[in-house]
């Protein structure tokens, strides 16, 4: 199955042409853009972001140069985007990277084959299957082992809330349906219908899912690094507990004589007290 893709079979054995596939892909991209904009307007996330950035700029204690900002952008991409450095748990990071890169490889190779009209290309075919497998492993691993209501609250993984779980379910369905479609080699059968349904729900359901957070996350991480570098510190106090001025605050009275290293605290064990 890994030597060919059903995309090539679809074009060769049915009335569906590459032009039809390209039209479908463009519609999916358009849906993502429209739904993301709708999500931003509904949650007013862009308005909050710019207002918070403007407020932070007024509180800045250091003027950043263009070089500083470029360096921060590179660090953000390398740490927060490419390597998912925000995850302290190495296994959780692996799950995230499998899902993220599986999604990227699968969709990038799909787009390359459709718009390059090369569904039978051996290299792209291999990347397509590797991406689908990575997405399958990552999305299911997350669902059964790391989803918050399952891992921390003890709920059954089969306890489904469509509004909350739409994104994860669509990712899982996309990987499963694509692999079944390829394995069975039935270009225009029920497997193809499942692929269309899964991808349409993934890209067309952005407004109701967490898909759009993938676009917001890099900007939020960049802004956080900027506020730390320019001294505005997200408009939060910058004094640490060991500084005399901070210790004079009323809320710090009980911690004045406490050791700076107070142990692991909540990191001592996994939060699973359900």
């Amino acid at each position: 199955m890994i030597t060919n893709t059903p995309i090539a079979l679809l074009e060769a054995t049915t009335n569906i042409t590459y032009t039809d596939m390209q039209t479908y892909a463009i519609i999916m991209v358009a849906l993502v853009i429209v739904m993301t904009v709708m999500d931003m307007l509904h949650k007013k996330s862009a308005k909050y972001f710019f207002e918070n950035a403007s407020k932070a700029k007024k509180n800045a204690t250091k003027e950043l140069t263009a070089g500083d900002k470029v360096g921060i952008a590179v660090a953000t991409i390398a740490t927060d985007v490419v390597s998912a450095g925000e995850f302290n748990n190495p296994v959780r990071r692996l799950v995230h990277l499998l899902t993220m890169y599986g999604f990227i490889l699968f969709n990038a190779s799909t787009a390359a084959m459709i718009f390059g009209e090369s569904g039978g290309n051996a290299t792209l075919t291999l990347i397509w299957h590797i991406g689908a497998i990575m997405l399958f492993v990552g999305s299911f691993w997350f669902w059964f082992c790391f989803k918050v209501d399952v891992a921390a609250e003890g709920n059954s993984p089969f306890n489904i809330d469509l509004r909350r779980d739409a994104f994860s379910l669509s990712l899982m369905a996309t990987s499963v349906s694509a692999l079944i479609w390829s394995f069975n080699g039935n270009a225009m059968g029920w497997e193809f219908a499942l692929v269309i349904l899964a991808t349409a729900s993934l890209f067309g359901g952005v407004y109701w899912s967490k898909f759009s957070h993938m676009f917001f996350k890099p900007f939020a991480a960049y802004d956080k690094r900027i506020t730390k570098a320019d001294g505005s510190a997200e408009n939060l106090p910058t004094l640490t507990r060991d500084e005399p001025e901070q210790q004079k605050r009323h809320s710090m009275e009980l911690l004045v004589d406490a050791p700076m290293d107070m142990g692991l605290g909540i990191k001592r064990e996994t939060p699973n007290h359900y």
Side-chain angles (χ1 to χ4, degrees):
M1 93 181 192
I2 206 167
T3 58
N4 204 348
T5 61
I7 292 175
L9 295 175
L10 194 65
E11 195 274 337
T13 62
T14 71
N15 293 324
I16 297 178
T17 65
Y18 277 114
T19 300
D20 298 326
M21 297 183 225
Q22 291 166 8
T23 301
Y24 179 76
I26 291 171
I27 291 173
M28 292 301 104
V29 172
L31 280 174
V32 171
I33 295 172
V34 171
M35 292 288 184
T36 301
V37 172
M38 288 176 60
D39 183 73
M40 290 170 60
L41 293 175
H42 172 66
K43 296 178 180 176
K44 299 181 179 179
S45 50
K47 180 181 178 181
Y48 168 80
F49 177 83
F50 287 114
E51 287 181 350
N52 193 59
S54 177
K55 184 178 179 181
K57 188 175 182 179
K58 294 178 182 178
N59 296 330
T61 59
K62 177 184 177 182
E63 184 72 25
L64 298 180
T65 65
D68 293 331
K69 294 179 179 179
V70 170
I72 291 172
V74 171
T76 300
I77 294 172
T79 303
D80 298 289
V81 180
V82 175
S83 60
E86 75 274 21
F87 292 106
N88 291 322
N89 185 328
V91 180
R92 177 66 183 88
R93 181 185 296 187
L94 174 61
V95 172
H96 177 83
L97 291 175
L98 277 172
T99 305
M100 180 177 72
Y101 284 111
F103 178 85
I104 292 172
L105 291 176
F106 176 74
N107 285 284
S109 58
T110 299
M113 285 187 284
I114 289 176
F115 288 94
E117 300 187 2
S118 54
N121 182 281
T123 301
L124 291 176
T125 294
L126 180 62
I127 295 173
W128 190 88
H129 284 95
I130 290 175
I133 292 170
M134 288 173 64
L135 181 58
F136 172 82
V137 173
S139 60
F140 274 85
W141 195 353
F142 166 78
W143 181 269
F144 287 100
C145 299
F146 288 96
K147 198 158 74 85
V148 173
D149 68 314
V150 174
E153 299 173 15
N155 293 328
S156 168
F158 302 103
N159 179 26
I160 296 173
D161 182 327
L162 287 178
R163 188 175 183 85
R164 177 194 64 201
D165 300 324
F167 183 46
S168 295
L169 290 172
S170 296
L171 285 176
M172 294 162 67
T174 297
S175 63
V176 170
S177 59
L179 291 171
I180 293 175
W181 188 33
S182 179
F183 180 78
N184 287 349
N186 190 4
M188 198 58 180
W190 58 270
E191 303 91 340
F192 175 66
L194 285 180
V195 170
I196 295 298
L197 180 62
T199 53
S201 65
L202 177 61
F203 298 113
V206 172
Y207 181 76
W208 299 278
S209 76
K210 295 181 179 179
F211 192 110
S212 57
H213 92 283
M214 295 193 302
F215 307 116
F216 303 148
K217 178 183 171 183
F219 292 103
Y222 172 76
D223 184 62
K224 184 176 181 179
R225 287 175 177 269
I226 285 288
T227 59
K228 185 176 181 180
D230 66 14
S232 58
E234 296 184 303
N235 305 313
L236 297 173
T238 57
L239 294 174
T240 58
R241 188 162 61 86
D242 59 337
E243 295 182 71
E245 189 174 344
Q246 174 74 332
Q247 292 177 353
K248 293 176 183 177
R249 293 177 59 232
H250 173 72
S251 59
M252 293 295 296
E253 289 180 359
L254 296 176
L255 297 175
V256 170
D257 298 320
M260 291 306 300
D261 184 359
M262 298 178 67
L264 294 174
I266 62 172
K267 293 184 179 181
R268 187 177 300 278
E269 56 182 317
T270 304
N272 57 0
H273 301 285
Y274 43 80

